Amino acid sequence: MQAPVMYPSRWKRPPQIFTDPLWRRILFIGAAVYLVLALATIDANWARIAEGWERGLRFIGGFLQPDFASRWNDISKGLIESLTMTLTSTVVGVLISVPIGIGAARNVAPAWIYYICRSIIAASRALQEIIVAIFFVAMFGFGPFAGFLTLAFGTIGFLSKLLAEDIEDIDEAQAEAIRATGASWAQMVNYAIQPQVMPRLIGLSLYRLDINFRESSVIGIVGAGGIGATLNTAIDRYEYDSAGAILLIIIGLVMVAEYGSSYLRKFLQ
């Protein structure tokens, strides 16, 4: 019979790395000096800061009085582009991520496939979406196609990594039971791995759908289409009332997507 696990009844302070009070004071003073020197290198232009506060107040005023009518055609077009990019990039990204995620699981794939898939994941995660968007805009020009490629590329790195980790954490007893029946590798993946990771995969896909819509609002600033491009144009023209309307639409859609995806993840899992 296994002995019961005994947990400590009283809290014990963890040991200190530096026990000498003199060394702690030296480290504190050194950190404070470094902070002061770092702030001194910022070289703030107080005149521009004052002008920025003035522009910020005008922007807040436009945000409090949003204008949905003046540029509604541009807003609706940008919104449709963002929603289209979000949906298509998520679907394509998930379809590509599944085989890469399976190949990046050490307990399923051979070593050479594992390292190839892990390299793909590392390359996708190493580049932030805005950098990838600039690259695709330079390659394919301005428009939603560059945004679609950017979001799909980001989805691959995000979903493949988490899927691979879930596959590596599965209950190996089920996989061994399927192998013992003489099943092939594909049958083992279908009957032992897929039932264990499918709820998690659906939840991650919905979560990535939410992320992709928010990212579509950002990458539009560099010319990758979507509602972000419309927002950038409104700000460049000092149309803060239209910019406020666009921001309210983005906030509303993000909130709907957040609550909706949370409910669906809870329902499916």
Side-chain angles (χ1 to χ4, degrees), residues 9-216:
S9 58
R10 299 180 62 184
W11 180 80
K12 183 179 180 181
R13 184 175 182 176
Q16 295 181 345
I17 299 177
F18 298 98
T19 56
D20 190 347
L22 178 61
W23 277 108
R24 292 202 296 270
R25 292 192 186 96
I26 291 174
L27 290 174
F28 178 79
I29 294 173
V33 170
Y34 175 78
L35 179 61
V36 172
L37 293 176
L39 292 175
T41 60
I42 294 177
D43 191 19
N45 188 331
W46 297 106
R48 293 191 63 182
I49 292 175
E51 294 177 0
W53 277 110
E54 183 181 353
R55 288 194 297 268
L57 292 176
R58 292 203 306 269
F59 181 80
I60 293 174
F63 187 81
L64 295 176
Q65 297 178 344
D67 181 11
F68 294 91
S70 298
R71 301 196 61 195
W72 177 248
N73 290 333
D74 294 335
I75 294 174
S76 60
K77 180 181 177 181
L79 185 60
I80 292 173
E81 284 185 356
S82 285
L83 294 174
T84 303
M85 285 192 302
T86 298
L87 183 60
T88 54
S89 62
T90 303
V91 172
V92 173
V94 170
L95 293 177
I96 299 175
S97 298
V98 170
I100 295 177
I102 295 174
R106 191 186 297 271
N107 59 336
V108 174
W112 65 277
I113 295 180
Y114 170 81
Y115 287 114
I116 291 175
C117 292
R118 282 289 175 176
S119 299
I120 295 174
I121 293 174
S124 176
R125 290 174 56 81
L127 299 174
Q128 215 276 337
E129 277 82 356
I130 196 73
I131 305 299
V132 179
I134 294 173
F135 176 73
F136 282 131
V137 166
M139 287 182 61
F140 303 107
F142 296 100
F145 182 66
F148 158 75
L149 294 176
T150 300
L151 297 177
F153 184 80
T155 301
I156 293 172
F158 173 86
L159 203 62
S160 298
K161 177 178 174 59
L162 296 178
L163 178 61
E165 292 177 352
D166 288 338
I167 294 175
E168 291 178 346
D169 293 336
I170 64 170
D171 183 5
E172 289 292 344
Q174 297 186 31
E176 290 297 331
I178 297 296
R179 291 192 189 99
T181 63
S184 64
W185 180 86
Q187 290 173 328
M188 186 270 295
V189 171
N190 187 36
Y191 293 105
I193 296 177
Q194 182 264 133
Q196 297 188 60
V197 302
M198 182 57 73
R200 174 73 169 163
L201 175 61
I202 295 174
L204 290 173
S205 301
L206 293 172
Y207 182 49
R208 185 63 201 187
L209 182 71
D210 178 24
I211 294 175
N212 281 345
F213 178 75
R214 284 181 281 144
E215 291 293 340
S216 71

Side-chain angles (χ1 to χ4, degrees), residues 229-260:
T230 310
L231 175 62
N232 188 46
T233 302
I235 294 176
D236 288 341
R237 295 178 178 178
Y238 301 102
E239 298 174 354
Y240 296 125
D241 49 357
S242 297
I246 296 171
L247 285 176
L248 287 175
I249 292 174
I250 293 174
I251 292 171
L253 288 175
V254 168
M255 291 179 63
V256 170
E258 176 69 23
Y259 289 117

